[in-house]
Amino acid sequence: MRPAPFPIVKDLVLVGGGHSHVIALKRIGMRPIPGVRVTVIARDIDTPYSGMLPGLIAGHYTFDQIHIDLGPLAQFAGARFYHDDAIGLDLTNSVVHCQNRPPVHYDVLSIDIGVTPAFRAVGAKDHAVPVKPIGTLAARLERLRARVRREYRPLKIGVVGAGAAGVELTLAIQFALCKDESSLENQTEARVEHEFHLFSAAETVLPTHNRRTQRVFLRILRERGVHVHLRCRVVQVKPDGLVAEDKTYYPVDEIVWATEARAQQWPGVSGLEVDELGFICVDDTLQSRSHQGVFAAGDIAAVVNHPREKAGVFAVRQGAPLEANLRRSLKGQPLKPFMPQRKFLSLVSTGDQYAVASRGRWSIEGGWVWRWKDWIDQRFIKRFRDLPPMNEAADRPSSQLAAVASPDVVRELSAVAMRCGGCGSKVGATILNQVLKRLQPIDRADVVLGLDALDDASIERVPAGLVAVRTVDAFRSIVDDPYTFGRIAANHCLGDVYAMGADPITALALATIPLGPECKMEQLLEELLSGAVDVLNAADTALVGGHTKEGLETELGLALTGVGQPDHLLRKGGMKPGDHLLVTKPIGTGTLFAAHMRMKARGCWIDAAVEMMLQSSREAGNVLRANGATACTDVTGFGLLGHLLEMTRASQVDACLRFEAIPLLDGAAETVAGGYLSSLQPQNARLRSAIANIAAVRSQTIYSVLFDPQTAGGLLASVPADSVTVCLNRLHAAGYLRASDIGTVEPLSDRAAPIHIEV
């Protein structure tokens, strides 16, 4: 990723991707804060705009139309995006604990994590579908629609909760099912009429709205045939029905839970002041009443002096004042209070393209109201989809750092700027020693001297009858999360050993980290090496030493030693005519991350690519070796065609690839077609002369993917024809679900270009 234009002196961490945070991120991207590193921790990459959920259910919008992609937005804001769940805080040491990664340090923290369902009835958690998270609801309703098409019988659907969410969802589901019936209706069969029940513990529907709006919706629900049960509190949910407080039993086939929500427990358990429902108590500045430097916004926040209902409009309005106060807090400036409005415009849809507007005591309805609502909603989403192009960081005076840095940090950074580099830019012993104390690399019996020794080099034994296999690789960070990058880098480097059919035993690390205050450098180095050590430990490989230096950006390399039996090692040479070519992972990381740097890749594409890069090739190597692989290599910087060309030359054979059989990562075809290519692509593309039918291949839209450089790519191997089916089945069973048979090995011909590609 791009090196930071300033040393990092403070960390702003945003937990959650709610409405307030997406607005804050956009504003930070428009006006970055020198010296501040922003990190976003979120469970979901695509964050939904709640006001458009009924439209999604009714079929007026697609999934993409109602979601904000946090990946490009974080890129625009210059923020690191950690796809993970926050599970707790250490308020004393200022760290956020996450589900699947090391703790994240902060100087200023903001929380916007929304709410979770309040399942107050017995059995509701087991048998009802909550409105949130939206992904779960949408998937369950899609299964309901499939069930309706399959069974073609009337179903009873119950919605518990008659606020705006419950009413809108009831009418949206009804509209969607009726639309399905209209499109599938058979002239010889009677139309299926589904039965809808809406349960309200209050005396009416939409209890927080004015009476006119309540009357309008009671009329609409009656006209649509919805059975409305008022003053009917549900106390028990069974697999096939609901039980009310008065013991009345209502049989239903599907149950949607849309009652009031509650807060997640971890903010209160961590020690933040919360109210009786677990919402974080904040003052008028949106700062926690119990802890300075901790903010909360959106539904998770309870503004003590201005209590309001949980509505998206308040979260949206809090975005700008939240960002302004986060900026002030980082600079040590006084915070400014924010007072939310008492009355707000509410636009409630009726399933079809019709809606009701209410504010205060007035209410109005019509198709034009829905079009108005659609215009407002689409305009909001557009703010985060049409992001301006990123500008390269301009030189700015380092004096700007004084706004967020303490005098001690400024003096420290001044000393950093004067470092001569004569010591090899080596990181100081204090930082390194502190990090090494907390790392937990495994011990191996064949390591005589390792990381715990003070000597200048490691010593290890090579067991009798085996040979040593050594390799080294290093590259700059392609993701913003140093822990994830450490894991990716270790997987990438280990791929060379697995491709040889050897077992890694030790590793030396070469790490580069940007200049900054010692505390920030220490945190970064620990996360980076922790990621690498986690992967090395899983590979039964001991980290025995290395070298750490200062630089402009984060880099990591590993020098690995492995061992193997001389007769069982795999090499690039060895392919035989008739063998089939298998690849264990899809390709496309180069083009995806080229697009990512330009904010043109969807967050879910990058997330899937990272998951692929985090998959070890260890078991793939074992499967290939057990099934008689004759040659093997890992697909990395030279791209699929470059590495295959090496194998054909070493084996003195030709090869035929089936273009349509090559597995691609999600989004790679789109980014290649869009012209987003890695900076290494032009060098790799010089190998196009190795393609015998280059004229036919070049006309393919995704031709360039053949030269796409890979990071932590899969293995490319030749396997005897009679082993292909078994080998692929075993690769799929081992988790390499996209492993594919992409071609065959042919006898050496007299043509100059050894590779033919079927298109």
Side-chain angles (χ1 to χ4, degrees), residues 706-725:
L706 293 169
F707 311 103
D708 191 57
Q710 303 303 293
T711 300
L715 302 182
L716 174 64
S718 55
V719 176
D722 57 4
S723 299
V724 171
T725 301

Side-chain angles (χ1 to χ4, degrees), residues 233-284:
R233 184 178 300 278
V234 174
V235 296
Q236 186 176 6
V237 179
K238 297 183 177 182
D240 55 358
L242 304 169
V243 180
E245 197 170 35
D246 63 1
K247 308 301 182 185
T248 303
Y249 176 73
Y250 298 91
V252 291
D253 298 292
E254 292 284 342
I255 305 164
V256 176
W257 201 260
T259 64
E260 73 279 5
R262 64 173 176 82
Q264 296 184 41
Q265 295 182 357
W266 63 261
V269 172
S270 300
L272 290 175
E273 181 184 342
V274 296
D275 65 12
E276 64 278 5
L277 295 177
F279 297 107
I280 301 171
C281 295
V282 298
D283 58 24
D284 296 357

Side-chain angles (χ1 to χ4, degrees), residues 555-626:
E555 300 175 358
L556 182 62
L558 292 176
L560 293 160
T561 298
V563 294
Q565 298 181 16
D567 298 337
H568 293 173
L569 293 179
L570 293 171
R571 301 178 61 184
K572 294 178 182 177
M575 295 197 300
K576 300 176 181 179
D579 286 350
H580 282 236
L581 297 170
L582 304 186
V583 66
T584 62
K585 293 184 182 181
I587 63 174
T589 58
T591 177
L592 283 171
F593 280 91
H596 178 57
M597 292 188 67
R598 295 165 178 80
M599 300 185 299
K600 298 299 182 181
R602 293 182 57 184
C604 60
W605 295 345
I606 298 302
D607 190 59
V610 168
E611 286 299 310
M612 183 278 293
M613 292 188 288
L614 292 177
Q615 184 180 29
S616 169
S617 288
R618 183 180 192 177
E619 190 57 32
N622 292 336
V623 171
L624 292 168
R625 187 166 48 179

Side-chain angles (χ1 to χ4, degrees), residues 65 98 126 145 251 272 279 308 325 333 335 375 531 552 564:
Q65 286 177 310
C98 299
D126 298 322
R145 297 172 75 170
L272 290 175
F279 297 107
R308 299 288 188 271
N325 276 337
Q333 298 173 346
L335 307 181
W375 178 79
L552 293 178

Side-chain angles (χ1 to χ4, degrees), residues 501-559:
D503 297 314
I505 59 172
T506 61
L508 297 169
L510 179 62
T512 302
I513 57 175
L515 298 171
E518 282 195 2
C519 63
K520 299 300 180 185
M521 294 175 69
E522 182 179 325
Q523 291 165 10
L524 175 57
L525 181 61
E526 182 175 0
E527 291 189 44
L528 180 67
L529 294 182
S530 292
V533 166
D534 281 356
V535 170
L536 292 172
N537 287 354
D540 198 27
T541 304
L543 179 66
V544 294
H547 180 78
T548 306
K549 63 185 182 71
E550 300 167 347
L552 293 178
E553 55 187 329
T554 304
E555 300 175 358
L556 182 62
L558 292 176

